[in-house]
Amino acid sequence: MRGGTAIQRKNQEIELSGKNVTLGPRIEHPRTTRSILIRLIGLALMAHVALSWPLWWAGAGRTFPLLPVWGEGYAPLFSAWSHLPALVLFAALAFAVVFPAKKHTASALAATLTLLVGLDLNRLQPWTYFYLLALGLIVAAGQAEGRLTNNLRWLMAAVYAWGGLNKITPYFAEDNFPWFCEAFFWTKPLAAFPALGYLVAAAEVLLALGLLRLATRSIFRWIAVGFHLFVTLALSPWGLDWNIVVIPWNLAMAGIAWVVFSDGMDVNAEARRSSVFIKAATTVLLAFAWVFPLLNVWHRWDEPLSWKMYSNTQTEAGFFIKKNSASCPEIQRVWAKHAYESGSKLLFDDWAFSDLHVPAYNSPYAHQRLAQYLCRCATDPGRSGLWRFTVQRWNRSAERWENIPCTALIR
């Protein structure tokens, strides 16, 4: 053939030029930071769904009512469309894991997860909240790897900073820290020293600062991974065997920390070149992680959205009935197993853990709706209703009990 084949001609051009040439459009490597993060979130969410199956699939034998964001009260557990949103979530998760590089994968997963949360507030766990913020930041960053890395670094730092600050209280140092020390035989002696609890809380704050500082990032990245692996083991069946649904979050956090806090990427210049809209969206999303948790100090922001993991300062709530009276028929099994004070009180979290394998959503709105759900069965509405226990994180003497009878809840 005259002139040789196309490949031969191309080789001749390369040899003649003696320079590097581009033979066609550059093909993006599929393992970008964006793809890795989306896949990590997708895999973690799959594990969360598997460990809290009744939370997502209403037909899995749950008695805990759905608490929709819109409307009043609670929703029926079963309807003609009750399973459709969960099926869409499963499809979105599978798509995210298999095709993380697709342009709209993150936005589709975020929209689906938001819909599921809207149908039941109990799904808005701290880890769900984190994934929603992370997906929002991924969408805002677009294909800009540097901007994305910068966004996720600040989100991760917010979790560590507030997680530590919320633990610098006697409720963690004197109560939850000794309980956490029961995880292993070699940590049990540490329970006798509450001062170590304050040091652990302060160390979590320092973890955020160390990761944000360029000079110490390479060291603190290893510390972050070790921190999450330790928490994973402590909560696992080899440790406390408690709330294992958060284990995938700890593993995902370790993976995300390893990816976004790696060295060698200049993120500041790209972040400064962002459009006004992108900067505004990013600022709002990071405000949900950094600013709004401050309102929780005055109980003006919901507990699950304030990074209060294991701080032991969350408001507790439940339902009380007259002694020797009956509870709602559908929860008699749960009541018989978890009620205390001669069967007159039930903690909402005990009910939720038994049914959904996660804590109940913790907010005044959710507490009132749950109490109204149980009030419909109260044989003595004047002596049945909602009880709440609220603390001030630095003042044990300010603990407050509140009883609201059904007669005040249902009007």
Side-chain angles (χ1 to χ4, degrees):
M1 180 180 292
R2 186 171 178 268
T5 65
I7 295 177
Q8 289 172 333
R9 288 197 300 272
K10 181 58 69 177
N11 288 338
Q12 289 171 1
E13 292 173 8
I14 295 173
E15 290 172 1
L16 289 172
S17 66
K19 299 178 181 179
N20 293 329
V21 296
T22 302
L23 302 181
R26 185 168 68 91
I27 299 175
E28 292 286 344
H29 196 285
R31 293 189 63 183
T32 61
T33 301
R34 182 178 183 275
S35 297
I36 293 172
L37 293 175
I38 292 175
R39 184 166 282 157
L40 274 173
I41 292 172
L43 289 171
L45 272 169
M46 282 184 171
H48 287 299
V49 170
L51 292 171
S52 58
W53 181 247
L55 177 65
W56 308 94
W57 192 261
R62 64 181 278 181
T63 61
F64 209 92
L66 299 171
L67 298 177
V69 173
W70 48 81
E72 293 291 333
Y74 43 85
L77 286 178
F78 307 104
S79 68
W81 303 99
S82 60
H83 299 320
L84 181 60
L87 292 173
V88 175
L89 175 63
F90 305 151
L93 288 173
F95 190 86
V97 171
V98 178
F99 303 107
K102 295 293 185 181
K103 182 178 180 181
H104 299 294
T105 297
S107 55
L109 182 55
T112 305
L113 195 56
T114 301
L115 172 63
L116 268 291
V117 167
L119 293 173
D120 186 6
L121 262 178
N122 295 298
R123 294 165 180 156
L124 191 54
Q125 300 291 313
W127 37 271
T128 319
Y129 187 55
F130 174 83
Y131 297 139
L132 283 172
L133 292 178
L135 289 168
L137 291 170
I138 290 172
V139 173
Q143 298 298 322
E145 295 281 288
R147 186 189 306 138
L148 171 60
T149 301
N150 191 56
N151 294 348
L152 266 294
R153 283 175 180 174
W154 282 100
L155 176 60
M156 296 282 288
V159 177
Y160 297 133
W162 275 114
L165 289 171
N166 285 324
K167 292 184 182 73
I168 304 179
T169 72
Y171 288 96
F172 173 77
E174 299 171 14
D175 299 335
N176 257 27
F177 174 71
W179 168 77
F180 217 83
C181 289
E182 295 295 317
F184 309 109
F185 73 91
W186 51 274
T187 57
K188 286 182 179 181
L190 303 179
F193 305 97
L196 290 177
Y198 290 103
L199 289 177
V200 168
E204 195 170 350
V205 178
L206 291 176
L207 180 59
L209 300 176
L211 287 170
L212 289 175
R213 191 167 179 265
L214 181 61
T216 56
R217 182 173 298 151
S218 59
I219 297 174
F220 276 82
R221 183 171 68 143
W222 284 96
I223 296 174
V225 172
F227 169 74
H228 288 293
L229 292 180
F230 173 79
V231 173
T232 296
L233 287 174
L235 296 177
S236 73
W238 295 281
L240 296 167
D241 194 18
W242 173 256
N243 199 16
I244 60 173
V245 75
V246 302
I247 287 179
W249 186 27
N250 277 276
L251 296 177
M253 290 282 281
I256 294 172
W258 187 258
V259 172
V260 302
F261 290 107
S262 59
D263 295 326
M265 184 177 290
D266 181 16
V267 300
N268 294 321
E270 191 177 71
R272 285 193 294 269
R273 291 196 300 268
S274 305
S275 69
V276 174
F277 174 78
I278 290 175
K279 286 181 179 179
T282 301
T283 300
V284 170
L285 288 168
L286 289 177
F288 279 105
W290 278 98
V291 180
F292 286 94
L294 179 62
L295 300 177
N296 183 261
V297 175
W298 300 279
H299 303 287
R300 300 297 182 184
W301 189 247
D302 290 351
E303 310 279 18
L305 316 182
S306 302
W307 316 123
K308 296 182 73 172
M309 294 76 69
Y310 299 102
S311 67
N312 205 33
T313 57
Q314 294 93 332
T315 297
E316 293 187 359
F319 195 76
F320 68 92
I321 59 176
K322 178 184 176 183
K323 289 184 179 180
N324 301 320
S325 61
S327 60
C328 291
E330 58 266 39
I331 68 162
Q332 283 184 357
R333 178 185 56 83
V334 175
W335 195 283
K337 183 177 181 181
H338 296 288
Y340 61 100
E341 288 193 10
S342 303
S344 64
K345 288 185 177 180
L346 176 70
L347 186 67
F348 288 149
D349 275 351
D350 286 342
W351 181 16
F353 268 116
S354 177
D355 250 30
L356 311 177
H357 311 154
V358 295
Y361 188 76
N362 197 330
S363 75
Y365 170 86
H367 297 159
Q368 184 173 338
R369 297 298 177 260
L370 287 170
Q372 288 173 337
Y373 177 79
L374 296 177
C375 279
R376 63 193 173 87
C377 303
T379 56
D380 191 345
R383 287 190 283 183
S384 302
L386 170 68
W387 66 263
R388 299 177 78 241
F389 175 66
T390 307
V391 305
Q392 291 186 14
R393 60 187 72 195
W394 300 295
N395 184 6
R396 279 189 176 271
S397 63
E399 295 176 352
R400 178 170 175 262
W401 285 91
E402 178 184 22
N403 287 342
I404 306 175
C406 290
T407 50
L409 290 168
I410 301 178
R411 297 173 181 175

